[in-house]
C-alpha cells in the first residue's frame, strides 16, 4: 500500500505521549475498567496481550519514537482516505452528508464518552463522542500474535471502525442498541455480529473505492486485509485463548463470515449490498 508522501487528516488526536494519566489512570494493559454509555465495538484481545504492560507511569509524558511517529502519519493518511471516499459514497448512495469523525491514538488505556478502556479491548468506536480509539501497538499484536501484518491489513482495521461511524450516521447503531435492550443475550450477540459484519462490508467498500481513486493498492494488499479479517474472527480468537468456539457467544462473527463480508464490499462497492440484517431476516 503506497501511503508515504500523501495527504493526512486533520482529525487526529494523539494522546500517546501522555502516559496513563491521559487515560484517566487506568493502569495496566489488559484491565478493562468501565463500560459506560454506548458500545465499544472492540475485539477482546486480552489473551494475546496479557503479558504486555504500559511502560509509562501515571502522569509521565514521553517523546514518541520515530517508529511511533511514522505509524501516526500512516493512520492520518488512511483516515484522510476514508474521509474522501465516504464523503462521496454516503452522498451518492444514501443522500447523506458525511460528518468526519475524530481518531484518537493512545497508549495503554484511554477515557472516552463511552467510559474507560484498555488496549486489550482492541480498537473501538464510541458513538457518544463520534471518535475512533486506537492503540497503535495493536498493529504489533496483529503482526506478532495474529499473523496478520501489513499496511493494508492495518488500514482495514481503521476502515472497519470508520464503518461503525457510518452506521451511526445512517441510524443503524441507535436502532441496534434499542433492539438489544429488548432481547436475550444470544439474540443480542447475534445483533452485534450482524453489526460487525456490516462494518466489515463497509470497510470493503472503502477499499474498493480507494483503490479505484488513489491507485495505492498493490499486489497482495487485498490478501492482507482478508487475512486480517479472518484473524479477528471470534472462532479464531477463542481457539487462541484455549476455548472451544461457541457460536451463540460470538459478538463479531466467525473468520469465514468476516472475510466473506469484507470481500463482498470490495467486489460491490455498494452500501445496499452490505445489509447483513436483511439477509438475516431482520
Amino acid at each position: 500500500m503506497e501511503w508515504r508522501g500523501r495527504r493526512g487528516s486533520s482529525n487526529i488526536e494523539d494522546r500517546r505521549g501522555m502516559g496513563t494519566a491521559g487515560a484517566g489512570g487506568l493502569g495496566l494493559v489488559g484491565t478493562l475498567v468501565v463500560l459506560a454509555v454506548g458500545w465499544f465495538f472492540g475485539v477482546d484481545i486480552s489473551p494475546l496481550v496479557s503479558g504486555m504492560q504500559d511502560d509509562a507511569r501515571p502522569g509521565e509524558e514521553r517523546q514518541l519514537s520515530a517508529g511511533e511517529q511514522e505509524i501516526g502519519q500512516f493512520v492520518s493518511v488512511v483516515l484522510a482516505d476514508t474521509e474522501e471516499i465516504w464523503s462521496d459514497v454516503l452522498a451518492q448512495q444514501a443522500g447523506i452528508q458525511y460528518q468526519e469523525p475524530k481518531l484518537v491514538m493512545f497508549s495503554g488505556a484511554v477515557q472516552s464518552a463511552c467510559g474507560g478502556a484498555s488496549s486489550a479491548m482492541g480498537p473501538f468506536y464510541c458513538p457518544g463522542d463520534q471518535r475512533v480509539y486506537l492503540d497503535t501497538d495493536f498493529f504489533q499484536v496483529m503482526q506478532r500474535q495474529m499473523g496478520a501484518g501489513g499496511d493494508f491489513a492495518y488500514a482495514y482495521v481503521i476502515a472497519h471502525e470508520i464503518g461503525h461511524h457510518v452506521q451511526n450516521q445512517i441510524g443503524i447503531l441507535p436502532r441496534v442498541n434499542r433492539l438489544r435492550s429488548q432481547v436475550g443475550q444470544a439474540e443480542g450477540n447475534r445483533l452485534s455480529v450482524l453489526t460487525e459484519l456490516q462494518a466489515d462490508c463497509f470497510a470493503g467498500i472503502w477499499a474498493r473505492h480507494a483503490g479505484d481513486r488513489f491507485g495505492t493498492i498493490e499486489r497482495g494488499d487485498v490478501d492482507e486485509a482478508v487475512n486480517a479479517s479472518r484473524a479477528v474472527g471470534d472462532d479464531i480468537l477463542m481457539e487462541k485463548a484455549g476455548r472451544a468456539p461457541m457460536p451463540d457467544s460470538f459478538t463479531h462473527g466467525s473468520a469465514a463470515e468476516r472475510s466473506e463480508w469484507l470481500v463482498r464490499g470490495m467486489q460491490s462497492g455498494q452500501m445496499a449490498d452490505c445489509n447483513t440484517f436483511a439477509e438475516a431476516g431482520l
Side-chain angles (χ1 to χ4, degrees):
M1 177 181 177
E2 293 290 342
W3 63 270
R4 291 175 176 81
R6 300 181 53 229
R7 181 185 76 85
S9 172
S10 61
N11 291 308
I12 294 286
E13 184 179 337
D14 196 343
R15 303 183 191 173
R16 292 176 297 170
M18 296 172 64
T20 54
L26 294 180
L28 300 179
V29 170
T31 303
L32 180 61
V33 179
V34 179
L35 286 177
V37 180
W39 282 15
F40 275 87
F41 293 110
V43 177
D44 181 8
I45 58 168
S46 53
L48 303 180
V49 298
S50 57
M52 296 173 58
Q53 295 186 2
D54 185 1
D55 293 330
R57 293 186 297 273
E60 180 184 22
E61 295 187 5
R62 64 181 179 84
Q63 294 293 319
L64 298 179
S65 69
E68 288 175 315
Q69 292 178 30
E70 183 176 59
I71 285 292
Q73 293 168 0
F74 165 77
V75 171
S76 179
V77 169
V78 174
L79 184 63
D81 283 1
T82 66
E83 292 165 353
E84 290 192 40
I85 295 303
W86 281 110
S87 289
D88 286 348
V89 170
L90 209 55
Q92 294 168 5
Q93 298 185 18
I96 296 174
Q97 182 178 353
Y98 184 61
Q99 299 173 8
E100 297 177 356
K102 299 285 188 180
L103 189 150
V104 178
M105 293 184 289
F106 70 95
S107 295
V110 72
Q111 194 72 32
S112 75
C114 294
S118 76
S119 299
M121 201 64 189
F124 64 90
Y125 172 71
C126 175
D129 56 19
Q130 297 188 52
R131 279 170 164 77
V132 170
Y133 291 84
L134 169 68
D135 185 331
T136 53
D137 285 347
F138 179 69
F139 297 150
Q140 296 181 31
V141 174
M142 288 178 63
Q143 181 178 29
R144 297 173 184 174
Q145 273 85 6
M146 297 180 176
D151 288 346
F152 203 65
Y154 307 149
Y156 150 72
V157 170
I158 298 169
H160 172 89
E161 299 306 329
I162 294 298
H164 286 312
H165 178 65
V166 173
Q167 289 175 316
N168 197 36
Q169 270 206 251
I170 63 179
I172 293 292
L173 296 193
R175 289 200 294 273
V176 170
N177 269 324
R178 286 194 296 271
L179 283 172
R180 289 183 80 246
S181 68
Q182 300 168 7
V183 299
Q185 183 173 351
E187 183 59 25
N189 287 346
R190 184 55 182 162
L191 287 170
S192 177
V193 167
L194 297 174
T195 305
E196 294 296 330
L197 296 180
Q198 186 178 60
D200 281 331
C201 192
F202 284 172
I205 289 177
W206 165 78
R208 166 66 178 270
H209 290 279
D212 291 345
R213 175 175 297 190
F214 306 120
T216 55
I217 297 178
E218 301 171 315
R219 187 179 210 147
D221 283 340
V222 172
D223 289 340
E224 283 182 5
V226 171
N227 183 45
S229 68
R230 292 185 59 84
V232 290
D234 284 319
D235 50 342
I236 301 299
L237 291 175
M238 286 181 177
E239 287 174 357
K240 286 184 177 292
R243 298 160 52 196
M246 300 178 62
D248 283 349
S249 66
F250 288 179
T251 57
H252 288 69
S254 68
E257 289 174 321
R258 299 202 67 170
S259 58
E260 175 189 346
W261 281 97
L262 174 66
V263 170
R264 183 182 299 205
M266 287 180 178
Q267 293 175 338
S268 167
Q270 298 294 314
M271 295 176 68
D273 292 326
C274 292
N275 195 336
T276 55
F277 301 94
E279 290 212 7
L282 299 178

